[in-house]
Amino acid sequence: MRISEASVLEIYLKNLGNSRRRWSELNRQVSSGKKLQRPSDGPVGSARVVRIRDEMSTINQYLRNISNARTRLGTAGEALNSMRNSINMVAERAAYGLTGTISQENRIAIANDIRGALEGIVQTARMTVDGKYIFSGTAIQTDPLAEDSGTFTYQGNESPLKVEIGRNMEIQVSVVGSETFIKPGTDLVNAVSTLADQLEAGDLDGARVTLENIQNAALLIDATRFRVTEGLRRAEETQKLHNDRLFQLTSEISNLEDLSLIHI
């Protein structure tokens, strides 16, 4: 069967058009270094790239949450350490004030020292991160302590603030003050205030009972410090896992998108 010149010309022009399109595609890939620029470039690979980018976006949000959690927990840990140091100082000064070998004048001076420590404890209890209180539970805009005639009350709520740091994984990033330093029965803040008043008044028996309450309150501080430390450990471990996963995903997306000139 003889092929007409018109048919030959048509086939030639079609092949020429295909060659030009292929050449244009290769130029585009070489100039960008990417073999997947549009979904049509590789539907299966492009779909996988979309899923990877979605997962990376989610992980990056978790990492931002972890960064915030580490900042808040770090501040809480520092605050609790400061409170514990203040308690130690109060206990040492009070023990000295309860000895029978010093004058009442000296006890009054010790009482004033203890009031100075109380001011530090209250200031620490009101610490914030980015203007948000860390000892008020989820009531982060509320000052955890209110004072009326020398008596302190808790104003936050009983719900700890939590953030999501992974799939089905949350971490507590605030402390409930009523469970830590102003809990009924082991009320650190008011006990320190009462201890100063008792020493100043020479009420040594009452001061001994109050000092015991303060030492019990210190155990609550220690328990909360442990929880904060554990929270920081979990945040750091999870952050490492997320960073490792991001590295894997970045490598995978690079393999899917980057152009290998060997295969051109």
Side-chain angles (χ1 to χ4, degrees):
M1 178 179 173
R2 186 174 180 179
I3 302 176
S4 66
E5 291 184 4
S7 296
V8 172
L9 179 60
E10 181 181 353
I11 294 171
Y12 171 76
L13 292 175
K14 183 178 180 181
N15 290 337
L16 180 61
N18 289 337
S19 296
R20 284 177 174 174
R21 282 192 296 274
R22 177 57 180 160
W23 181 252
S24 176
E25 178 68 15
L26 290 174
N27 280 335
R28 179 173 63 81
Q29 290 181 354
V30 170
S31 64
S32 66
K34 303 291 183 183
K35 59 185 176 183
L36 294 178
Q37 293 185 322
R38 301 185 300 256
S40 60
D41 292 338
V44 175
S46 295
R48 176 57 182 155
V49 167
V50 170
R51 290 195 296 271
I52 290 174
R53 291 196 185 281
D54 286 344
E55 184 177 352
M56 291 175 72
S57 177
T58 300
I59 291 175
N60 281 320
Q61 181 59 58
Y62 289 150
L63 288 172
R64 286 191 290 272
N65 291 349
I66 289 173
S67 177
N68 176 65
R70 291 184 64 179
T71 298
R72 291 184 64 83
L73 289 172
T75 302
E78 292 173 2
L80 292 166
N81 288 339
S82 176
M83 285 186 186
R84 193 61 172 90
N85 291 335
S86 294
I87 292 173
N88 291 341
M89 188 277 279
V90 167
E92 290 173 2
R93 297 295 289 153
Y96 179 60
L98 289 171
T99 62
T101 58
I102 67 170
S103 66
Q104 183 57 28
E105 182 179 356
N106 286 335
R107 289 194 184 96
I108 292 173
I110 290 172
N112 289 331
D113 290 343
I114 291 173
R115 289 192 180 99
L118 174 62
E119 290 179 5
I121 291 172
V122 170
Q123 183 177 0
T124 301
R126 288 170 168 159
M127 287 186 71
T128 63
V129 173
D130 296 329
K132 300 172 183 177
Y133 292 99
I134 59 175
F135 289 109
S136 293
T138 58
I140 54 179
Q141 302 296 338
T142 302
D143 186 334
L145 292 177
E147 182 182 4
D148 183 15
S149 302
T151 299
F152 293 90
T153 55
Y154 178 65
Q155 296 188 113
N157 62 31
E158 310 301 319
S159 302
L161 180 65
K162 298 179 180 181
V163 298
E164 190 176 17
I165 62 171
R167 182 176 297 179
N168 300 322
M169 185 185 301
E170 291 184 328
I171 191 170
Q172 182 174 324
V173 297
S174 71
V175 178
V176 177
S178 61
E179 296 178 354
T180 305
F181 50 77
I182 195 163
K183 184 176 183 178
T186 52
D187 183 343
L188 171 65
V189 178
N190 287 305
V192 172
S193 177
T194 299
L195 178 63
D197 292 342
Q198 289 169 331
L199 287 173
E200 186 175 63
D203 180 6
L204 302 190
D205 290 336
R208 289 188 180 93
V209 173
T210 301
L211 178 58
E212 184 177 351
N213 290 336
I214 291 172
Q215 291 168 334
N216 289 334
L219 299 179
L220 283 180
I221 298 291
D222 290 341
T224 305
R225 290 164 71 197
F226 176 78
R227 289 197 300 272
V228 167
T229 300
E230 280 298 293
L232 277 170
R233 182 188 60 79
R234 282 187 61 209
E236 291 168 359
E237 290 179 352
T238 306
Q239 184 179 46
K240 183 180 184 304
L241 291 174
H242 285 325
N243 282 327
D244 289 345
R245 180 58 176 162
L246 274 182
F247 180 79
Q248 294 173 355
L249 293 173
T250 300
S251 297
E252 184 176 350
I253 206 170
S254 177
N255 290 334
L256 288 169
E257 286 188 333
D258 289 354
L259 179 66
S260 175
L261 297 178
I262 295 175
H263 295 97
I264 295 179

